[in-house]
């Protein structure tokens, strides 16, 4: 839903008296037109800035939603309940968000409008689902369903993060150890073969030298690897820290959703659990919306808007078009993200009037698959990392001992 904008105005009425106040309108032009219809001569007209809170984190959003759901279930007036919640909270972003919503409610706005006006704090889905819950007279059911959705989403993200973090840390450690050995042991071995020269073999890319005669190729390779290994290790550490620090803020932006949709979901190993997670969340939100009594096209469109995937938008538009033209869902082809089994299952559920339970079952199935695939990531990566460690460490050990054996052999002769 589109939130109205509050404008502050100063005007003169038909008798020349000054009139001040505020007005809610979809745009500045609409607000001016409304005041003009009241025979007011506008002297000043400006938008009232909304309080800036900043986007809520996943934990804060889940906490706010859970508390709002409990208020709705208890039947308490939302405005009074939010005042009590804000009074009990310590200072922080969540407290400011509750106070901002309560301030909008005090101006006579509905709960959905109050949340929609805090567009920088709450995701777009939230106001839409609250509005759907109010219209269907089942706000507690919608909010508790959304709590489950947020919990499942966070669980999938945590599972994938844990699965990827351990292999990345091991790889960085191997690179660092290899860099140290190659950068500070190899030059001493090369200097032993080059005792007649005064060349400096210490670690420096600007002082790279041609290897002295008789040095094993594996030692030369290890020496040159030592020149670039610190940069590889530093780059890997920098990327890992950058991703850890920035990705939680970027993933909810349009750019972050585009990266996930067009790039991350296509990667080997990581891509499949991400795809299954998106599909499971789409089924989850669609099930919630259908369960509240929303018509099917609106429910599917709300689910697609909540996920923010261009490929899911395309698939959802295909399903809505087929439904509007009277065709069955299982006749839809060319889906980009949704598995082909989902339209078929939805069509069978429509025929038996069991769409919401069927979507909930599909949600559970695909989210379980996402969790299973996420757990398989370290099991798949560890053998590859072990092999890589064996090659790197074994190669460096050969690079260290082969020159020493050659020197020892030449001394014995």
């Amino acid at each position: 839903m589109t939130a109205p904008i509050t404008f502050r105005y100063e005007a003169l009425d038909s008798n020349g008296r000054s009139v001040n106040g505020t007005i809610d309108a979809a745009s500045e032009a609409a607000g001016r037109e409304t005041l003009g219809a009241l025979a007011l001569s506008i002297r000043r007209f400006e938008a009232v800035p909304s309080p800036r809170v900043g986007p809520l984190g996943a934990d804060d959003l889940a906490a706010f939603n859970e508390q709002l759901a409990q208020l709705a279930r208890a039947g308490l007036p939302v405005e009074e309940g939010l005042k009590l919640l804000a009074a009990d909270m310590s200072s922080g972003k969540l407290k400011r968000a509750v106070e901002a919503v309560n301030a909008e409610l005090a101006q006579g706005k509905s709960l959905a409008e109050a949340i929609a006006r805090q567009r920088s704090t709450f995701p777009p889905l939230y106001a839409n689902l609250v509005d759907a819950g109010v219209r269907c007279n089942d706000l507690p059911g919608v909010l508790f369903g959304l709590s489950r959705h947020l919990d499942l989403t966070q669980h999938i993200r945590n599972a994938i993060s844990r699965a990827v973090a351990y292999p990345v840390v091991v790889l960085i450690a191997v690179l660092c150890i290899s860099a140290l050995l190659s950068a500070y042991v190899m030059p001493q071995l090369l200097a032993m073969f080059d005792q007649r020269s005064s060349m400096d073999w210490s670690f420096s890319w600007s002082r790279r030298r041609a290897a002295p005669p008789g040095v094993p190729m594996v030692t030369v390779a290890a020496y040159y690897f030592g020149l670039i290994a610190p940069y590889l290790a530093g780059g890997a550490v920098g990327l890992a820290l950058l991703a850890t620090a920035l990705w939680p803020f970027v993933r909810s932006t349009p750019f972050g959703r585009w990266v996930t949709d067009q790039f991350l979901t296509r990667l080997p190993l990581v891509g499949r659990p991400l795809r299954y997670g998106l599909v499971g969340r789409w089924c989850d939100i669609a099930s919630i919306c259908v369960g509240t009594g929303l018509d099917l096209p609106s429910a599917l469109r709300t689910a697609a808007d909540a996920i923010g995937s261009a490929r899911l938008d395309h698939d959802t538009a295909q399903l809505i078009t087929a439904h509007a033209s009277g065709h069955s869902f299982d006749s839809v082809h060319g889906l980009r993200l949704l598995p082909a089994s989902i339209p078929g299952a939805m069509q069978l559920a429509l025929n038996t009037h069991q769409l919401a339970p069927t979507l909930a079952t599909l949600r559970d199935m695909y989210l379980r698959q996402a969790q299973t695939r996420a757990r398989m990531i370290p099991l798949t990566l560890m053998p590859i990392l072990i092999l890589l460690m064996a090659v790197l460490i074994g190669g460096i050990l050969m690079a260290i001992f082969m020159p020493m054996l050659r020197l020892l052999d030449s001394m014995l002769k």
Side-chain angles (χ1 to χ4, degrees):
M1 62 178 297
T2 302
I5 304 172
T6 300
F7 296 93
R8 182 185 298 112
Y9 67 88
E10 296 178 5
L12 297 176
D13 62 11
S14 57
N15 297 322
R17 289 176 298 186
S18 177
V19 179
N20 302 326
T22 60
I23 184 173
D24 290 342
S27 64
E28 181 176 347
R32 289 180 176 273
E33 182 179 352
T34 301
L35 293 179
L38 298 175
L40 295 178
S41 177
I42 300 174
R43 300 178 59 186
R44 183 181 179 187
F45 193 84
E46 61 184 10
V48 177
S50 300
R52 295 290 181 180
V53 178
L56 288 178
D59 293 338
D60 284 341
L61 179 60
F64 176 86
N65 182 76
E66 184 71 22
Q67 292 166 342
L68 186 59
Q70 295 291 351
L71 287 176
R73 171 184 281 181
L76 294 175
V78 175
E79 182 175 349
E80 294 301 321
L82 289 179
K83 284 182 180 178
L84 294 175
L85 288 179
D88 290 339
M89 291 177 181
S90 59
S91 60
K93 185 179 293 185
L94 182 57
K95 180 182 178 68
R96 295 195 300 272
V98 172
E99 291 174 342
V101 172
N102 200 51
E104 300 288 349
L105 292 173
Q107 297 179 15
K109 297 179 175 60
S110 68
L111 177 61
E113 290 174 337
I115 293 174
R117 281 185 57 81
Q118 302 300 318
R119 59 182 65 88
S120 64
T121 303
F122 297 94
L125 158 73
Y126 201 65
N128 294 343
L129 287 182
V130 168
D131 183 59
V134 172
R135 287 189 284 110
C136 298
N137 198 29
D138 190 19
L139 181 59
V142 172
L143 294 178
F144 281 116
L146 183 58
S147 291
R148 184 184 63 254
H149 161 69
L150 294 173
D151 182 66
L152 290 172
T153 299
Q154 192 63 29
H155 184 74
I156 292 293
R157 286 174 178 167
N158 291 340
I160 294 177
S161 299
R162 288 193 301 267
V164 174
Y166 180 69
V168 169
V169 170
V170 172
L171 180 60
I172 291 175
V174 170
L175 284 174
C176 291
I177 293 172
S178 301
L180 288 173
L181 293 175
S182 299
Y184 298 104
V185 175
M186 294 304 110
Q188 299 182 30
L189 292 176
L190 292 173
M192 293 172 61
F193 275 85
D194 197 31
Q195 294 180 355
R196 299 179 181 178
S197 173
S198 60
M199 289 184 177
D200 184 3
W201 287 98
S202 60
F203 171 73
S204 174
W205 180 258
S206 61
R207 292 196 297 267
R208 60 189 184 278
R209 309 296 187 200
V215 177
M217 289 301 300
V218 66
T219 305
V220 177
Y223 170 70
Y224 282 107
F225 176 75
L227 298 178
I228 63 172
Y231 301 101
L232 293 176
V237 172
L239 287 176
L241 293 177
L242 189 65
T244 302
L246 293 182
W247 183 245
F249 302 98
V250 173
R251 67 187 176 199
S252 60
T253 65
F255 175 73
R257 291 193 295 268
W258 179 86
V259 170
T260 300
D261 186 39
Q262 300 296 332
F263 179 65
L264 296 182
T265 57
R266 302 178 191 272
L267 292 176
L269 295 180
V270 177
R272 185 165 293 184
L274 286 176
R275 290 197 303 272
Y276 287 159
L278 291 176
V279 172
R281 289 163 55 199
W282 183 86
C283 293
D284 188 26
I285 299 171
S287 173
I288 294 172
C289 294
V290 171
T292 63
L294 276 182
D295 60 278
L296 183 56
S298 298
L300 298 182
R301 173 48 53 196
T302 300
D305 292 342
I307 302 302
S309 164
R311 289 192 285 169
L312 269 180
D313 285 343
H314 170 271
D315 295 349
T316 302
Q318 294 279 84
L319 295 176
I320 293 175
T321 300
H323 181 73
S325 59
H327 295 99
S328 62
F329 284 144
D330 50 12
S331 65
V332 175
H333 300 287
L335 297 177
R336 297 179 180 177
L337 192 62
L338 289 177
S341 60
I342 285 186
M346 291 176 61
Q347 186 60 46
L348 290 174
L350 279 176
N351 296 336
T352 58
H353 306 287
Q354 295 292 320
L355 183 57
T358 298
L359 286 171
T361 301
L362 291 171
R363 169 204 69 205
D364 295 338
M365 181 181 72
Y366 281 102
L367 288 177
R368 279 197 302 267
Q369 291 190 31
Q371 294 169 11
T372 301
R373 294 286 179 175
R375 286 194 294 267
M376 290 177 60
I377 292 175
L379 299 178
T380 305
L381 288 180
M382 283 310 299
I384 300 175
L385 285 175
I386 291 173
L387 179 61
L388 179 61
M389 291 171 60
V391 170
L392 289 177
I393 301 300
I396 292 176
L397 291 175
M398 290 178 60
I400 292 174
F401 287 106
M402 284 186 65
M404 298 174 63
L405 291 175
R406 286 195 180 183
L407 285 174
L408 183 59
D409 183 63
S410 63
M411 292 173 60
L412 291 177
K413 291 181 180 180

